[in-house]
Amino acid sequence: MNTLVEAEPIKISDSEWEVMRVVWTKGETDAKTINDLLSDSKGWKLATTKTLLGRLVKKDILQTEQSGKKFVYSAKVSEEQTVRSATENIFSHICAKKVGSTIADMLSEAELTQEDIDNIEAVLSEKNPVTDIACNCTPGQCICQENEVEES
């Protein structure tokens, strides 16, 4: 698997996430195995699964190898890379000043084990706080800059 930081964000649909979760779990797998695991909960036909696999190969997220009459798929990017890219994508769409409160909201909604809480506390204890965070929005996109315009 690719361990370098991706220059391009990894963008996959919700359905592609479902497929990738199976691939990450199995390591290597074929379309029928993926479809067998997901068809009941998703109501997918094998053709749907194959379409999603084709998209993921085209996006360079999966690699494929022919094994007899079937194709075997494996991930070219890790689950961790993909989650990190999705997180960065979410944060790129909100005001930088709201990232902390968004993380707090996410934590308040998440079920966490004591180990999870210990890990989060360890990360926070190493974090050096900044005095101020600059708004990164285009004027008119958030209340920060609206307030600045009104104060001028």
Side-chain angles (χ1 to χ4, degrees):
M1 268 188 254
N2 187 353
T3 56
L4 297 176
V5 174
E6 295 296 311
E8 287 292 314
I10 301 166
K11 293 183 181 178
I12 61 177
S13 70
D14 291 346
S15 295
E16 291 166 345
W17 270 102
E18 297 293 333
V19 170
M20 288 306 299
R21 290 183 65 199
V22 174
V23 175
W24 288 318
T25 299
K26 298 287 186 189
E28 290 185 344
T29 191
D30 60 45
K32 183 177 178 334
T33 300
I34 295 168
N35 194 71
D36 288 348
L37 290 168
L38 297 177
S39 63
D40 285 345
S41 64
K42 300 296 170 193
W44 294 347
K45 304 278 187 229
L46 183 58
T48 302
T49 302
K50 287 182 176 182
T51 297
L52 293 167
L53 288 165
R55 288 180 191 164
L56 289 162
V57 169
K58 189 174 181 178
K59 291 179 180 183
D60 207 29
I61 292 168
L62 282 181
Q63 58 191 13
T64 184
E65 202 173 293
Q66 192 157 2
S67 176
K69 291 185 177 185
K70 65 182 174 183
F71 289 94
V72 176
Y73 298 89
S74 59
K76 292 182 82 173
V77 295
S78 71
E79 184 173 12
E80 293 77 16
Q81 284 174 290
T82 309
V83 169
R84 182 176 305 261
S85 184
T87 304
E88 289 169 359
N89 184 46
I90 289 168
F91 290 153
S92 75
H93 293 308
I94 62 173
C95 177
K97 290 182 170 229
K98 294 181 182 174
V99 170
S101 62
T102 301
I103 293 169
D105 288 344
M106 292 168 70
L107 286 172
S108 70
E109 295 295 321
E111 286 190 43
L112 301 169
T113 64
Q114 186 59 53
E115 183 180 358
D116 294 330
I117 293 169
D118 293 344
N119 287 337
I120 293 164
E121 287 175 340
V123 168
L124 288 173
S125 71
E126 296 293 318
K127 198 80 177 149
N128 292 319
V130 296
T131 306
D132 191 40
I133 296 173
C135 175
N136 61 339
C137 300
T138 301
Q141 284 187 323
C142 76
I143 198 77
C144 302
Q145 295 192 11
E146 287 295 316
N147 289 340
E148 287 175 9
V149 170
E150 289 172 11
E151 291 172 7
S152 299

Short mmCIF file of all heavy atoms in Angstrom, two decimals, residues 86-150:
data_model
loop_
_atom_site.label_atom_id
_atom_site.label_comp_id
_atom_site.label_asym_id
_atom_site.label_seq_id
_atom_site.Cartn_x
_atom_site.Cartn_y
_atom_site.Cartn_z
N ALA A 86 -10.57 12.36 4.05
CA ALA A 86 -11.98 12.76 4.23
C ALA A 86 -12.10 13.81 5.34
O ALA A 86 -12.86 14.78 5.21
CB ALA A 86 -12.83 11.54 4.56
N THR A 87 -11.33 13.64 6.40
CA THR A 87 -11.35 14.61 7.50
C THR A 87 -10.82 15.96 7.04
O THR A 87 -11.42 17.00 7.32
CB THR A 87 -10.50 14.08 8.68
OG1 THR A 87 -11.00 12.81 9.07
CG2 THR A 87 -10.54 15.03 9.86
N GLU A 88 -9.71 15.94 6.31
CA GLU A 88 -9.16 17.19 5.78
C GLU A 88 -10.16 17.86 4.84
O GLU A 88 -10.30 19.08 4.85
CB GLU A 88 -7.84 16.92 5.05
CG GLU A 88 -6.71 16.56 5.98
CD GLU A 88 -5.46 16.04 5.27
OE1 GLU A 88 -5.48 15.92 4.02
OE2 GLU A 88 -4.49 15.72 5.96
N ASN A 89 -10.87 17.05 4.07
CA ASN A 89 -11.88 17.59 3.16
C ASN A 89 -13.00 18.28 3.94
O ASN A 89 -13.42 19.38 3.59
CB ASN A 89 -12.43 16.48 2.27
CG ASN A 89 -13.41 16.99 1.25
OD1 ASN A 89 -13.17 17.99 0.57
ND2 ASN A 89 -14.54 16.33 1.14
N ILE A 90 -13.48 17.64 5.00
CA ILE A 90 -14.53 18.24 5.82
C ILE A 90 -14.04 19.57 6.39
O ILE A 90 -14.72 20.59 6.31
CB ILE A 90 -14.95 17.30 6.97
CG1 ILE A 90 -15.74 16.11 6.40
CG2 ILE A 90 -15.78 18.03 8.02
CD1 ILE A 90 -15.96 14.99 7.39
N PHE A 91 -12.85 19.56 6.97
CA PHE A 91 -12.32 20.78 7.59
C PHE A 91 -12.05 21.88 6.58
O PHE A 91 -12.10 23.06 6.92
CB PHE A 91 -11.08 20.48 8.43
CG PHE A 91 -11.38 19.69 9.68
CD1 PHE A 91 -10.42 18.87 10.23
CD2 PHE A 91 -12.62 19.76 10.30
CE1 PHE A 91 -10.68 18.15 11.40
CE2 PHE A 91 -12.90 19.03 11.45
CZ PHE A 91 -11.92 18.23 12.00
N SER A 92 -11.78 21.52 5.33
CA SER A 92 -11.54 22.54 4.30
C SER A 92 -12.82 23.27 3.91
O SER A 92 -12.77 24.32 3.30
CB SER A 92 -10.90 21.92 3.06
OG SER A 92 -11.84 21.18 2.31
N HIS A 93 -13.97 22.71 4.30
CA HIS A 93 -15.25 23.31 3.94
C HIS A 93 -15.85 24.16 5.05
O HIS A 93 -16.95 24.71 4.87
CB HIS A 93 -16.26 22.22 3.55
CG HIS A 93 -15.91 21.51 2.29
ND1 HIS A 93 -15.63 22.16 1.11
CD2 HIS A 93 -15.79 20.19 2.00
CE1 HIS A 93 -15.36 21.28 0.16
NE2 HIS A 93 -15.44 20.08 0.68
N ILE A 94 -15.18 24.27 6.18
CA ILE A 94 -15.70 25.08 7.28
C ILE A 94 -14.67 26.13 7.67
O ILE A 94 -13.48 25.99 7.37
CB ILE A 94 -16.09 24.23 8.51
CG1 ILE A 94 -14.89 23.50 9.09
CG2 ILE A 94 -17.21 23.26 8.16
CD1 ILE A 94 -15.18 22.78 10.40
N CYS A 95 -15.13 27.16 8.34
CA CYS A 95 -14.25 28.22 8.82
C CYS A 95 -13.20 27.62 9.76
O CYS A 95 -13.54 26.80 10.62
CB CYS A 95 -15.08 29.28 9.54
SG CYS A 95 -14.10 30.60 10.25
N ALA A 96 -11.96 28.01 9.60
CA ALA A 96 -10.88 27.51 10.46
C ALA A 96 -11.17 27.75 11.93
O ALA A 96 -10.77 26.98 12.80
CB ALA A 96 -9.55 28.15 10.06
N LYS A 97 -11.92 28.82 12.23
CA LYS A 97 -12.25 29.14 13.62
C LYS A 97 -13.26 28.15 14.20
O LYS A 97 -13.43 28.10 15.41
CB LYS A 97 -12.83 30.55 13.72
CG LYS A 97 -11.81 31.64 13.47
CD LYS A 97 -12.44 33.01 13.64
CE LYS A 97 -11.36 34.06 13.63
NZ LYS A 97 -11.47 34.99 14.72
N LYS A 98 -13.92 27.36 13.36
CA LYS A 98 -14.93 26.42 13.82
C LYS A 98 -14.42 24.98 13.91
O LYS A 98 -15.16 24.09 14.31
CB LYS A 98 -16.15 26.47 12.90
CG LYS A 98 -16.88 27.81 12.96
CD LYS A 98 -18.08 27.81 12.05
CE LYS A 98 -18.76 29.17 12.09
NZ LYS A 98 -19.85 29.27 11.11
N VAL A 99 -13.18 24.74 13.54
CA VAL A 99 -12.64 23.38 13.55
C VAL A 99 -12.67 22.80 14.97
O VAL A 99 -13.12 21.67 15.18
CB VAL A 99 -11.22 23.32 12.93
CG1 VAL A 99 -10.57 21.97 13.18
CG2 VAL A 99 -11.29 23.61 11.44
N GLY A 100 -12.21 23.55 15.95
CA GLY A 100 -12.18 23.06 17.33
C GLY A 100 -13.56 22.69 17.84
O GLY A 100 -13.75 21.61 18.42
N SER A 101 -14.56 23.56 17.61
CA SER A 101 -15.91 23.25 18.08
C SER A 101 -16.51 22.08 17.30
O SER A 101 -17.28 21.29 17.85
CB SER A 101 -16.82 24.48 18.00
OG SER A 101 -16.96 24.92 16.68
N THR A 102 -16.13 21.93 16.03
CA THR A 102 -16.60 20.79 15.24
C THR A 102 -16.03 19.49 15.79
O THR A 102 -16.75 18.50 15.93
CB THR A 102 -16.21 20.97 13.76
OG1 THR A 102 -16.79 22.19 13.28
CG2 THR A 102 -16.69 19.80 12.91
N ILE A 103 -14.75 19.50 16.15
CA ILE A 103 -14.14 18.31 16.75
C ILE A 103 -14.82 18.00 18.08
O ILE A 103 -15.14 16.84 18.36
CB ILE A 103 -12.61 18.50 16.93
CG1 ILE A 103 -11.93 18.57 15.57
CG2 ILE A 103 -12.02 17.38 17.79
CD1 ILE A 103 -10.48 19.01 15.62
N ALA A 104 -15.09 19.02 18.89
CA ALA A 104 -15.77 18.81 20.17
C ALA A 104 -17.15 18.21 19.94
O ALA A 104 -17.57 17.29 20.67
CB ALA A 104 -15.86 20.14 20.94
N ASP A 105 -17.89 18.71 18.95
CA ASP A 105 -19.20 18.15 18.62
C ASP A 105 -19.09 16.68 18.21
O ASP A 105 -19.90 15.85 18.63
CB ASP A 105 -19.87 18.94 17.49
CG ASP A 105 -20.34 20.32 17.91
OD1 ASP A 105 -20.45 20.58 19.12
OD2 ASP A 105 -20.60 21.14 17.00
N MET A 106 -18.08 16.38 17.39
CA MET A 106 -17.88 15.00 16.95
C MET A 106 -17.60 14.09 18.14
O MET A 106 -18.13 12.99 18.24
CB MET A 106 -16.74 14.93 15.93
CG MET A 106 -17.07 15.61 14.61
SD MET A 106 -15.63 15.85 13.54
CE MET A 106 -15.25 14.18 13.07
N LEU A 107 -16.77 14.58 19.07
CA LEU A 107 -16.44 13.79 20.26
C LEU A 107 -17.66 13.56 21.14
O LEU A 107 -17.86 12.47 21.69
CB LEU A 107 -15.34 14.47 21.07
CG LEU A 107 -13.94 14.40 20.50
CD1 LEU A 107 -12.99 15.28 21.30
CD2 LEU A 107 -13.44 12.96 20.48
N SER A 108 -18.49 14.57 21.26
CA SER A 108 -19.67 14.44 22.13
C SER A 108 -20.67 13.43 21.55
O SER A 108 -21.40 12.80 22.30
CB SER A 108 -20.34 15.79 22.36
OG SER A 108 -20.95 16.25 21.19
N GLU A 109 -20.66 13.24 20.24
CA GLU A 109 -21.59 12.31 19.59
C GLU A 109 -21.03 10.89 19.49
O GLU A 109 -21.79 9.94 19.31
CB GLU A 109 -21.93 12.81 18.18
CG GLU A 109 -22.68 14.12 18.14
CD GLU A 109 -24.06 14.02 18.77
OE1 GLU A 109 -24.74 13.00 18.58
OE2 GLU A 109 -24.45 14.97 19.48
N ALA A 110 -19.72 10.74 19.61
CA ALA A 110 -19.08 9.44 19.38
C ALA A 110 -19.10 8.56 20.64
O ALA A 110 -18.95 9.06 21.75
CB ALA A 110 -17.63 9.65 18.94
N GLU A 111 -19.30 7.26 20.42
CA GLU A 111 -19.11 6.29 21.50
C GLU A 111 -17.62 6.02 21.59
O GLU A 111 -16.98 5.70 20.59
CB GLU A 111 -19.86 5.00 21.22
CG GLU A 111 -21.35 5.12 21.39
CD GLU A 111 -22.04 3.76 21.33
OE1 GLU A 111 -21.53 2.80 21.94
OE2 GLU A 111 -23.08 3.69 20.67
N LEU A 112 -17.05 6.16 22.79
CA LEU A 112 -15.61 6.02 22.97
C LEU A 112 -15.30 5.06 24.11
O LEU A 112 -15.96 5.09 25.14
CB LEU A 112 -14.97 7.39 23.28
CG LEU A 112 -15.17 8.48 22.24
CD1 LEU A 112 -14.72 9.82 22.80
CD2 LEU A 112 -14.42 8.15 20.96
N THR A 113 -14.26 4.25 23.92
CA THR A 113 -13.77 3.41 25.00
C THR A 113 -12.84 4.24 25.88
O THR A 113 -12.44 5.35 25.49
CB THR A 113 -12.97 2.21 24.45
OG1 THR A 113 -11.80 2.71 23.79
CG2 THR A 113 -13.80 1.37 23.48
N GLN A 114 -12.48 3.72 27.01
CA GLN A 114 -11.51 4.42 27.86
C GLN A 114 -10.19 4.57 27.13
O GLN A 114 -9.53 5.61 27.24
CB GLN A 114 -11.32 3.69 29.20
CG GLN A 114 -10.45 4.46 30.18
CD GLN A 114 -11.03 5.82 30.53
OE1 GLN A 114 -12.19 5.94 30.92
NE2 GLN A 114 -10.23 6.88 30.37
N GLU A 115 -9.81 3.56 26.34
CA GLU A 115 -8.57 3.65 25.56
C GLU A 115 -8.65 4.81 24.56
O GLU A 115 -7.68 5.55 24.39
CB GLU A 115 -8.30 2.33 24.83
CG GLU A 115 -6.99 2.33 24.06
CD GLU A 115 -6.73 1.02 23.34
OE1 GLU A 115 -7.54 0.07 23.46
OE2 GLU A 115 -5.69 0.95 22.67
N ASP A 116 -9.81 4.96 23.91
CA ASP A 116 -10.00 6.08 22.98
C ASP A 116 -9.82 7.41 23.72
O ASP A 116 -9.13 8.32 23.23
CB ASP A 116 -11.41 6.05 22.37
CG ASP A 116 -11.67 4.87 21.46
OD1 ASP A 116 -10.71 4.37 20.84
OD2 ASP A 116 -12.84 4.45 21.38
N ILE A 117 -10.47 7.54 24.86
CA ILE A 117 -10.40 8.78 25.64
C ILE A 117 -8.97 9.05 26.08
O ILE A 117 -8.48 10.18 25.99
CB ILE A 117 -11.37 8.71 26.85
CG1 ILE A 117 -12.82 8.71 26.33
CG2 ILE A 117 -11.12 9.87 27.82
CD1 ILE A 117 -13.86 8.38 27.38
N ASP A 118 -8.26 8.01 26.52
CA ASP A 118 -6.86 8.16 26.92
C ASP A 118 -6.01 8.64 25.75
O ASP A 118 -5.15 9.52 25.91
CB ASP A 118 -6.31 6.85 27.47
CG ASP A 118 -6.94 6.44 28.80
OD1 ASP A 118 -7.59 7.29 29.46
OD2 ASP A 118 -6.80 5.25 29.17
N ASN A 119 -6.25 8.07 24.55
CA ASN A 119 -5.50 8.48 23.36
C ASN A 119 -5.78 9.94 23.01
O ASN A 119 -4.86 10.71 22.69
CB ASN A 119 -5.85 7.59 22.16
CG ASN A 119 -5.25 6.21 22.26
OD1 ASN A 119 -4.26 5.98 22.96
ND2 ASN A 119 -5.86 5.26 21.59
N ILE A 120 -7.04 10.35 23.08
CA ILE A 120 -7.41 11.73 22.78
C ILE A 120 -6.78 12.68 23.79
O ILE A 120 -6.22 13.73 23.42
CB ILE A 120 -8.95 11.89 22.74
CG1 ILE A 120 -9.51 11.12 21.53
CG2 ILE A 120 -9.35 13.36 22.68
CD1 ILE A 120 -11.01 10.87 21.59
N GLU A 121 -6.84 12.32 25.07
CA GLU A 121 -6.25 13.16 26.11
C GLU A 121 -4.73 13.27 25.92
O GLU A 121 -4.17 14.35 26.13
CB GLU A 121 -6.58 12.60 27.50
CG GLU A 121 -8.02 12.84 27.88
CD GLU A 121 -8.42 12.20 29.22
OE1 GLU A 121 -7.72 11.27 29.69
OE2 GLU A 121 -9.45 12.64 29.77
N ALA A 122 -4.09 12.20 25.50
CA ALA A 122 -2.64 12.23 25.26
C ALA A 122 -2.31 13.19 24.11
O ALA A 122 -1.36 13.97 24.20
CB ALA A 122 -2.11 10.83 24.95
N VAL A 123 -3.10 13.14 23.04
CA VAL A 123 -2.88 14.04 21.91
C VAL A 123 -3.09 15.48 22.35
O VAL A 123 -2.29 16.37 22.04
CB VAL A 123 -3.81 13.68 20.73
CG1 VAL A 123 -3.79 14.77 19.66
CG2 VAL A 123 -3.41 12.35 20.12
N LEU A 124 -4.16 15.72 23.10
CA LEU A 124 -4.45 17.08 23.57
C LEU A 124 -3.37 17.61 24.51
O LEU A 124 -3.03 18.79 24.47
CB LEU A 124 -5.82 17.14 24.26
CG LEU A 124 -7.02 17.03 23.33
CD1 LEU A 124 -8.31 16.93 24.15
CD2 LEU A 124 -7.08 18.21 22.37
N SER A 125 -2.82 16.74 25.34
CA SER A 125 -1.79 17.19 26.29
C SER A 125 -0.50 17.60 25.57
O SER A 125 0.27 18.41 26.09
CB SER A 125 -1.49 16.11 27.33
OG SER A 125 -0.80 15.03 26.75
N GLU A 126 -0.27 17.09 24.37
CA GLU A 126 0.90 17.44 23.57
C GLU A 126 0.66 18.65 22.67
O GLU A 126 1.59 19.20 22.10
CB GLU A 126 1.33 16.24 22.71
CG GLU A 126 1.78 15.02 23.49
CD GLU A 126 3.07 15.26 24.24
OE1 GLU A 126 3.99 15.89 23.67
OE2 GLU A 126 3.15 14.81 25.40
N LYS A 127 -0.59 19.04 22.53
CA LYS A 127 -0.97 20.11 21.63
C LYS A 127 -0.59 21.47 22.23
O LYS A 127 -0.86 21.74 23.39
CB LYS A 127 -2.48 20.04 21.39
CG LYS A 127 -2.97 20.77 20.21
CD LYS A 127 -2.73 19.98 18.95
CE LYS A 127 -3.31 20.71 17.77
NZ LYS A 127 -2.58 20.46 16.57
N ASN A 128 0.06 22.31 21.45
CA ASN A 128 0.39 23.67 21.88
C ASN A 128 -0.70 24.61 21.38
O ASN A 128 -0.86 24.79 20.17
CB ASN A 128 1.75 24.10 21.31
CG ASN A 128 2.89 23.32 21.92
OD1 ASN A 128 2.88 23.06 23.12
ND2 ASN A 128 3.84 22.92 21.10
N PRO A 129 -1.46 25.20 22.28
CA PRO A 129 -2.54 26.09 21.84
C PRO A 129 -2.00 27.36 21.20
O PRO A 129 -0.91 27.82 21.53
CB PRO A 129 -3.30 26.41 23.13
CG PRO A 129 -2.35 26.11 24.24
CD PRO A 129 -1.37 25.10 23.74
N VAL A 130 -2.79 27.88 20.27
CA VAL A 130 -2.45 29.16 19.65
C VAL A 130 -3.35 30.22 20.26
O VAL A 130 -4.41 29.92 20.81
CB VAL A 130 -2.63 29.11 18.12
CG1 VAL A 130 -1.65 28.13 17.49
CG2 VAL A 130 -4.05 28.75 17.73
N THR A 131 -2.93 31.47 20.17
CA THR A 131 -3.69 32.58 20.74
C THR A 131 -4.94 32.86 19.93
O THR A 131 -6.01 33.10 20.48
CB THR A 131 -2.82 33.84 20.81
OG1 THR A 131 -1.62 33.52 21.51
CG2 THR A 131 -3.53 34.97 21.51
N ASP A 132 -4.80 32.83 18.60
CA ASP A 132 -5.92 33.15 17.74
C ASP A 132 -5.82 32.33 16.47
O ASP A 132 -4.73 31.98 16.02
CB ASP A 132 -5.91 34.65 17.41
CG ASP A 132 -7.19 35.11 16.73
OD1 ASP A 132 -8.27 34.64 17.14
OD2 ASP A 132 -7.09 35.92 15.79
N ILE A 133 -6.96 32.03 15.88
CA ILE A 133 -7.02 31.33 14.61
C ILE A 133 -7.64 32.28 13.59
O ILE A 133 -8.71 32.85 13.84
CB ILE A 133 -7.85 30.04 14.72
CG1 ILE A 133 -7.17 29.08 15.69
CG2 ILE A 133 -8.04 29.40 13.34
CD1 ILE A 133 -7.97 27.84 16.01
N ALA A 134 -6.95 32.47 12.49
CA ALA A 134 -7.44 33.37 11.46
C ALA A 134 -8.55 32.70 10.65
O ALA A 134 -8.46 31.51 10.32
CB ALA A 134 -6.30 33.77 10.53
N CYS A 135 -9.56 33.45 10.34
CA CYS A 135 -10.64 32.98 9.47
C CYS A 135 -10.04 32.77 8.07
O CYS A 135 -9.28 33.59 7.59
CB CYS A 135 -11.77 34.01 9.43
SG CYS A 135 -13.07 33.59 8.26
N ASN A 136 -10.39 31.64 7.46
CA ASN A 136 -9.87 31.32 6.13
C ASN A 136 -10.96 31.36 5.06
O ASN A 136 -10.78 30.84 3.97
CB ASN A 136 -9.21 29.94 6.15
CG ASN A 136 -10.19 28.84 6.53
OD1 ASN A 136 -11.22 29.09 7.13
ND2 ASN A 136 -9.84 27.61 6.19
N CYS A 137 -12.09 31.97 5.36
CA CYS A 137 -13.24 31.98 4.46
C CYS A 137 -13.16 33.14 3.47
O CYS A 137 -12.55 34.16 3.74
CB CYS A 137 -14.53 32.10 5.26
SG CYS A 137 -14.77 30.74 6.42
N THR A 138 -13.83 32.94 2.36
CA THR A 138 -14.03 34.02 1.40
C THR A 138 -15.05 34.97 2.02
O THR A 138 -16.01 34.52 2.64
CB THR A 138 -14.57 33.43 0.08
OG1 THR A 138 -13.63 32.49 -0.41
CG2 THR A 138 -14.83 34.50 -0.95
N PRO A 139 -14.86 36.28 1.87
CA PRO A 139 -15.83 37.22 2.44
C PRO A 139 -17.27 36.85 2.06
O PRO A 139 -17.54 36.52 0.91
CB PRO A 139 -15.42 38.57 1.84
CG PRO A 139 -13.94 38.42 1.62
CD PRO A 139 -13.76 36.98 1.19
N GLY A 140 -18.13 36.86 3.05
CA GLY A 140 -19.52 36.52 2.84
C GLY A 140 -19.85 35.07 3.14
O GLY A 140 -21.02 34.67 3.13
N GLN A 141 -18.83 34.25 3.44
CA GLN A 141 -19.06 32.83 3.69
C GLN A 141 -19.25 32.50 5.16
O GLN A 141 -19.66 31.40 5.48
CB GLN A 141 -17.90 31.98 3.16
CG GLN A 141 -17.90 31.82 1.67
CD GLN A 141 -16.83 30.83 1.25
OE1 GLN A 141 -15.75 30.75 1.81
NE2 GLN A 141 -17.16 30.05 0.23
N CYS A 142 -18.89 33.40 6.05
CA CYS A 142 -19.05 33.08 7.47
C CYS A 142 -19.29 34.34 8.28
O CYS A 142 -19.05 35.45 7.82
CB CYS A 142 -17.85 32.30 8.01
SG CYS A 142 -16.40 33.29 8.32
N ILE A 143 -19.71 34.14 9.49
CA ILE A 143 -20.08 35.25 10.38
C ILE A 143 -18.84 36.06 10.80
O ILE A 143 -18.97 37.25 11.06
CB ILE A 143 -20.88 34.71 11.58
CG1 ILE A 143 -21.65 35.83 12.28
CG2 ILE A 143 -19.99 33.98 12.56
CD1 ILE A 143 -22.88 36.25 11.55
N CYS A 144 -17.66 35.44 10.84
CA CYS A 144 -16.43 36.15 11.24
C CYS A 144 -16.24 37.41 10.40
O CYS A 144 -16.05 38.50 10.93
CB CYS A 144 -15.19 35.28 11.06
SG CYS A 144 -15.20 33.74 11.96
N GLN A 145 -16.26 37.21 9.10
CA GLN A 145 -16.00 38.34 8.20
C GLN A 145 -17.19 39.27 8.11
O GLN A 145 -17.02 40.45 7.86
CB GLN A 145 -15.57 37.81 6.84
CG GLN A 145 -14.24 37.07 6.98
CD GLN A 145 -13.59 36.77 5.66
OE1 GLN A 145 -14.00 37.26 4.63
NE2 GLN A 145 -12.55 35.97 5.70
N GLU A 146 -18.39 38.76 8.32
CA GLU A 146 -19.57 39.63 8.36
C GLU A 146 -19.44 40.61 9.53
O GLU A 146 -19.74 41.78 9.41
CB GLU A 146 -20.86 38.82 8.49
CG GLU A 146 -21.25 38.07 7.24
CD GLU A 146 -21.61 38.97 6.08
OE1 GLU A 146 -22.34 39.96 6.28
OE2 GLU A 146 -21.16 38.69 4.95
N ASN A 147 -18.96 40.09 10.68
CA ASN A 147 -18.77 40.95 11.86
C ASN A 147 -17.69 42.01 11.61
O ASN A 147 -17.80 43.15 12.04
CB ASN A 147 -18.42 40.13 13.10
CG ASN A 147 -19.61 39.35 13.59
OD1 ASN A 147 -20.76 39.66 13.28
ND2 ASN A 147 -19.35 38.31 14.38
N GLU A 148 -16.61 41.61 10.90
CA GLU A 148 -15.53 42.55 10.60
C GLU A 148 -16.02 43.67 9.71
O GLU A 148 -15.67 44.84 9.88
CB GLU A 148 -14.35 41.83 9.93
CG GLU A 148 -13.57 40.95 10.89
CD GLU A 148 -12.49 40.14 10.19
OE1 GLU A 148 -12.22 40.37 9.00
OE2 GLU A 148 -11.92 39.25 10.85
N VAL A 149 -16.88 43.33 8.72
CA VAL A 149 -17.42 44.34 7.81
C VAL A 149 -18.31 45.31 8.57
O VAL A 149 -18.25 46.52 8.39
CB VAL A 149 -18.20 43.66 6.65
CG1 VAL A 149 -18.97 44.69 5.82
CG2 VAL A 149 -17.25 42.88 5.76
N GLU A 150 -19.15 44.77 9.49
CA GLU A 150 -20.05 45.61 10.27
C GLU A 150 -19.28 46.55 11.21
O GLU A 150 -19.70 47.67 11.46
CB GLU A 150 -21.01 44.75 11.08
CG GLU A 150 -22.05 44.05 10.23
CD GLU A 150 -22.89 43.05 10.99
OE1 GLU A 150 -22.82 43.04 12.25
OE2 GLU A 150 -23.63 42.29 10.35
#
